[in-house]
């Protein structure tokens, strides 16, 4: 039995007819850039996330970068974020010309620890990027409050968390802006690259619309220098189909997670994901901690079970960020997490037999220790 970490073919089987119809429609129209699918997607995601504006972009990475630029982040500024995230979060800060400032994570949720943020704020701090890692929101209330006190912009990195809620507030409208990714493995994934910024601030929305189109307001009139970061009509059409299924698929992820939780409750050594009260987790990843993780991954390979380490090297220790001067041991929680985490298959269509196979492999790993 081969157990993939993610099976997008299984998802495609469920929506083949819907996807084929919209793809045919886009080809018939031969309108590949902009158009009613892009505008429709923007309206639908904005409504879904209770934000005033949605600006569709070419990737989640661009969403972070252009959001920082729209907020006026510039060389000399500092932006606070988590060291335990996908590279793009800090890469965008660097590419905006600013300096990433890392703040260690909470060991239970893997999200930035709000209690440690104050010490990292300096005169140069302009923004905070909390990452809603694996599909659970960062602890937004204290973060938003700190940002208010210090006049900082909050940009949610919601790439992994569309559909998650924090005390009934949906992801995407708690900060000044939120960045989404439509990378195929995300809960709302396209047929290629894609991203979006959500905001309820009219001026930021206007700035983002300019930035994604070479700063062009009227045709061939450029008030600022932007880039080409438009979302393709084909992507928007596919994403609109999938958006209808997003909540149902998240429920399936949540049931799979609950089934793992039940099994792991009886296994000493496995630490299942902790969901804080008032948080609605959408499990883009189901990530456990366990002892001798690398030996377990080896066993998974032997048994052809897909699993992944998100993330093996925390960002403060990446070679490209050596200039920031962080030493090993400076972010102990992120460093420990990177040694212990393992993400297991949790995708909506995961067959029961596959899940049992995964659980059995973990039990066998623990028995060998
Ligand atoms: C937390 C996080 N931030 C940013 C990104 C970047 O998104 P993209 O791959 O669409 O550029 C991703 C996903 O890949 C992500 O997981």
């Amino acid at each position: 039995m081969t157990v993939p970490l993610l099976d997008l073919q299984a998802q495609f089987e469920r929506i083949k007819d819907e996807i084929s119809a919209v793809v045919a429609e886009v080809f018939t129209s031969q309108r590949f850039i902009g158009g009613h699918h892009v505008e429709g997607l923007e309206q639908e995601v904005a409504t879904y996330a209770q934000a005033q504006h949605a600006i569709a972009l070419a990737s989640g990475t661009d969403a972070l970068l252009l959001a920082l630029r729209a907020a006026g982040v510039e060389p000399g500024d500092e932006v606070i974020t988590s060291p335990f995230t996908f590279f793009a979060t800090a890469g965008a800060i660097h590419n905006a010309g600013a300096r990433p400032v890392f703040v260690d994570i909470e060991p239970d949720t893997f999200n930035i620890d709000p209690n440690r943020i104050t010490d990292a704020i300096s005169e140069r701090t302009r923004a905070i990027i909390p990452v809603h890692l694996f599909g659970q929101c960062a602890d937004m209330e204290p973060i938003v409050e700190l940002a208010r006190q210090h006049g900082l912009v909050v940009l949610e990195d919601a790439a992994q968390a569309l559909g998650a809620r924090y005390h009934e507030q949906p992801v995407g409208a708690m900060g000044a802006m939120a960045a989404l990714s439509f990378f195929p493995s995300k809960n709302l994934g396209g047929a290629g690259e894609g991203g979006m910024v959500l905001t309820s601030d009219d001026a930021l929305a206007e700035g983002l619309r300019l930035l994604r189109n070479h700063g062009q307001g009227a045709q061939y009139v450029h008030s600022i220098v932007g880039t080409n970061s438009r979302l393709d009509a084909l992507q928007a059409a596919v994403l609109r189909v999938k958006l209808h299924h997003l909540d149902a698929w998240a429920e399936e992820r949540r049931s799979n997670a609950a089934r793992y939780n039940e099994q792991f409750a009886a296994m000493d050594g496995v630490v299942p994901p902790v969901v804080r009260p008032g948080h609605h987790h959408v499990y883009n990843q189901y990530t456990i901690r366990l002892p001798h993780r690398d030996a377990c991954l080896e066993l998974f390979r032997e048994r052809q079970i897909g699993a992944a380490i998100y993330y093996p090297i925390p960002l403060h220790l990446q070679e490209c960020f050596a200039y920031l001067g962080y030493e090993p041991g400076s972010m102990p929680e992120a460093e420990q997490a990177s040694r212990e985490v393992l993400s297991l298959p949790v995708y909506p269509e995961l067959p029961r037999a596959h899940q049992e196979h995964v659980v059995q492999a973990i039990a066998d790993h623990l028995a060998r220790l």
Side-chain angles (χ1 to χ4, degrees):
M1 183 191 291
T2 301
V3 177
L5 178 59
L6 173 66
D7 182 358
L8 286 173
Q9 266 155 353
Q11 184 195 65
F12 182 54
E13 284 302 321
R14 301 167 98 181
I15 53 170
K16 220 177 203 167
D17 294 345
E18 291 175 87
I19 298 285
S20 303
V22 293
V23 169
E25 186 223 302
V26 172
F27 270 90
T28 304
S29 77
Q30 289 291 303
R31 173 127 200 220
F32 295 114
I33 309 290
H36 77 101
H37 280 303
V38 174
E39 283 158 24
L41 178 73
E42 288 181 335
Q43 275 164 20
E44 287 156 12
V45 178
T47 304
Y48 178 85
Q50 298 176 20
Q52 290 298 313
H53 307 279
I55 299 91
L57 301 167
S59 70
T61 301
D62 272 5
L64 289 162
L65 174 61
L66 298 186
L68 290 172
R69 288 194 58 192
V73 169
E74 55 188 22
D77 290 343
E78 293 178 355
V79 178
I80 290 172
T81 195
S82 165
F84 196 62
T85 173
F86 180 63
F87 182 78
T89 318
I93 298 170
H94 173 97
N95 284 336
R99 189 178 176 88
V101 174
F102 296 112
V103 168
D104 209 357
I105 56 170
E106 302 170 327
D108 55 348
T109 66
F110 305 113
N111 283 323
I112 192 168
D113 185 345
N115 294 317
R116 300 177 197 249
I117 292 177
T118 306
D119 286 348
I121 295 175
S122 80
E123 278 172 9
R124 294 184 172 171
T125 311
R126 283 294 302 274
I128 305 178
I129 310 183
V131 183
H132 305 316
L133 202 70
F134 303 146
Q136 173 166 230
C137 288
D139 192 4
M140 289 302 287
E141 199 183 305
I143 294 173
V144 168
E145 178 53 23
L146 267 177
R148 194 190 59 75
Q149 285 167 10
H150 295 268
L152 310 176
V153 174
V154 176
L155 165 59
E156 297 171 60
D157 183 340
Q160 301 183 3
L162 184 60
R165 292 194 296 276
Y166 174 82
H167 300 287
E168 292 318 312
Q169 293 184 80
V171 141
M174 292 180 277
M177 288 177 282
L180 304 179
S181 163
F182 302 131
F183 187 79
S185 65
K186 299 298 192 261
N187 285 21
L188 181 62
E193 307 279 0
M196 184 174 269
V197 174
L198 299 169
T199 183
S200 293
D201 183 306
D202 296 347
L204 289 172
E206 189 48 37
L208 284 156
R209 289 197 183 98
L210 282 175
L211 282 166
R212 77 170 162 190
N213 195 24
H214 292 298
Q216 175 176 273
Q219 205 176 15
Y220 300 123
V221 179
H222 302 263
S223 48
I224 55 171
V225 178
T227 185
N228 172 2
S229 185
R230 298 177 297 248
L231 183 72
D232 292 340
L234 266 173
Q235 294 305 338
V238 166
L239 290 163
R240 289 181 85 186
V241 167
K242 292 195 182 186
L243 182 61
H244 291 295
H245 301 280
L246 181 62
D247 286 341
W249 290 341
E251 280 315 310
E252 291 173 336
R253 287 174 180 273
R254 287 165 54 79
S255 305
N256 292 336
R259 213 167 296 124
Y260 275 131
N261 289 344
E262 267 171 40
Q263 300 289 322
F264 294 148
M267 285 188 206
D268 255 6
V270 181
V271 183
V274 171
V275 184
R276 289 274 178 85
H279 285 239
H280 181 82
H281 197 321
V282 290
Y283 295 102
N284 181 243
Q285 301 297 339
Y286 180 90
T287 304
I288 61 172
R289 288 182 191 249
L290 85 172
H292 300 276
R293 186 265 324 268
D294 292 341
C296 184
L297 196 56
E298 199 42 53
L299 180 66
F300 272 37
R301 285 205 183 105
E302 280 163 25
R303 297 191 185 179
Q304 294 179 304
I305 298 172
I309 299 170
Y310 301 123
Y311 296 91
I313 306 176
L315 298 187
H316 66 290
L317 299 181
Q318 293 288 349
E319 191 182 340
C320 63
F321 289 135
Y323 72 93
L324 296 172
Y326 292 97
E327 296 289 335
S330 58
M331 304 276 146
E333 296 298 351
E335 290 166 39
Q336 190 173 342
S338 69
R339 289 190 292 268
E340 294 179 353
V341 289
L342 192 64
S343 296
L344 307 178
V346 73
Y347 64 92
E349 301 81 9
L350 178 66
R352 201 65 76 87
H354 284 199
Q355 192 169 14
E356 283 161 11
H357 201 52
V358 174
V359 171
Q360 187 58 51
I362 302 246
D364 293 346
H365 165 67
L366 294 172
R368 284 181 184 183
L369 296 179

